[in-house]
Amino acid sequence: MLVMRRRAGESFMIGEHIEIEVLEMTGSRVKLGIVAPEEFVIVRKEARITRDENLTAARKVDPTAITALLHRLAR
Amino acid sequence: MPRLLTTYFGEIDFADASVFQFPHGLPGFETEHAFVFLRQPHTEPLMFMQSLTDPKLCFILLPILVADPRYRVNFDKEDIAELKLEPGRQPRIGEDILCAAILRAGDAEHPDPTVNLMAPVVVNLKEKIGMQVIQPESGYSHREPLFPRLETLPCS
């Protein structure tokens, strides 16, 4: 992993077209500004993780698996 | 009473009052804006979050306090505003909100069931609107093992 120190107001580039600027720091939070071409989808990592988890959880569960689950929950 | 074809219970009758609106859907399901929560005596304590428009889409949920009796909500003000909850205080589970974790039943890859405690489904019981509240700073995982958690709780 590349590690870089930046102050508020400073930025860095990823390739030719993506710029990320550190806008503000408050406590443990950092506010970033991102400039990127439209074709790049930018999402928070936890939103991506939640999406992937939702897609898996939405698959139909076999009734026998539900029954097994209920037995374990009832213990 | 309107009828609804469900993933797990065939065709059911439901009351319009039991429909919850999800203005932004859920991550991965952004176009699903309406769900009903189904509970059946023989499937307690599970809840079935059935899409109103897609009979094949139904999430299985566990009330958050069943998944973790020590769970405490700590929503930020944007989420509280989004859910049209009273500003300035945390909502109460069971009184102001329904809060439940999406369950991932075991599969070949991960045989043990897990619950997503990082991103619970929350609905405002009065306004009937809901969203999945993503809380990366909660300390909970999106894949908390269900049974170790329940089975290691001390007896009281």
Side-chain angles (χ1 to χ4, degrees):
Chain A
M1 185 190 282
L2 171 70
V3 178
M4 201 188 280
R5 288 177 194 276
R6 300 275 68 192
R7 293 188 165 89
E10 294 179 342
S11 63
F12 59 92
M13 305 289 298
I14 300 174
E16 289 296 310
H17 305 293
I18 300 175
E19 180 178 358
I20 297 173
E21 182 179 347
V22 179
L23 298 175
E24 188 185 312
M25 285 169 289
T26 44
S28 61
R29 295 196 153 207
V30 178
K31 192 190 268 186
L32 301 173
I34 302 162
V35 180
E38 239 177 80
E39 64 265 29
F40 287 90
V41 177
I42 300 168
V43 294
R44 294 184 178 123
K45 187 172 177 189
E46 58 272 19
R48 173 63 55 85
I49 288 173
T50 299
R51 185 199 69 168
D52 293 348
E53 205 61 16
N54 284 351
L55 290 170
T56 310
R59 289 189 207 138
K60 189 173 178 182
V61 180
D62 192 78
T64 57
I66 295 180
T67 308
L69 191 67
L70 287 166
H71 276 292
R72 286 183 78 179
L73 280 168
R75 264 190 230 153
Chain B
M1 207 178 251
R3 306 214 72 174
L4 176 66
L5 189 58
T6 67
T7 310
Y8 294 104
F9 304 112
E11 208 174 36
I12 58 153
D13 291 322
F14 71 101
D16 283 330
S18 65
V19 176
F20 290 92
Q21 297 299 325
F22 284 68
H24 303 292
L26 263 61
F29 298 90
E30 285 78 6
T31 57
E32 294 290 338
H33 298 302
F35 290 89
V36 287
F37 290 79
L38 309 172
R39 301 182 83 147
Q40 302 273 331
H42 67 283
T43 55
E44 282 293 317
L46 299 178
M47 302 170 63
F48 294 80
M49 181 177 164
Q50 174 69 52
S51 160
L52 220 59
T53 49
D54 182 355
K56 293 191 294 298
L57 179 62
C58 182
F59 295 98
I60 301 178
L61 275 57
L62 202 57
I64 204 96
L65 294 177
V66 175
D68 181 354
R70 288 164 295 191
Y71 189 90
R72 293 281 176 275
V73 295
N74 185 22
F75 301 151
D76 60 31
K77 57 179 190 296
E78 289 82 11
D79 295 327
I80 287 175
E82 182 87 34
L83 283 160
K84 297 190 181 153
L85 289 162
E86 193 183 308
R89 68 171 179 87
Q90 289 296 322
R92 288 177 295 255
I93 296 173
E95 291 174 45
D96 307 309
I97 55 165
L98 177 159
C99 185
I102 295 182
L103 184 130
R104 178 174 160 158
D107 53 35
E109 194 192 343
H110 301 280
D112 288 319
T114 59
V115 275
N116 184 350
L117 294 181
M118 182 193 77
V121 170
V122 180
V123 299
N124 179 333
L125 291 167
K126 202 170 104 205
E127 300 289 336
K128 306 232 181 284
I129 60 165
M131 66 184 286
Q132 193 168 8
V133 181
I134 302 175
Q135 300 182 282
E137 290 162 33
S138 63
Y140 286 109
S141 161
H142 61 291
R143 214 175 272 170
E144 295 274 355
L146 180 57
F147 291 112
R149 184 164 278 277
L150 285 177
E151 284 156 12
T152 55
L153 286 176
C155 299
S156 52

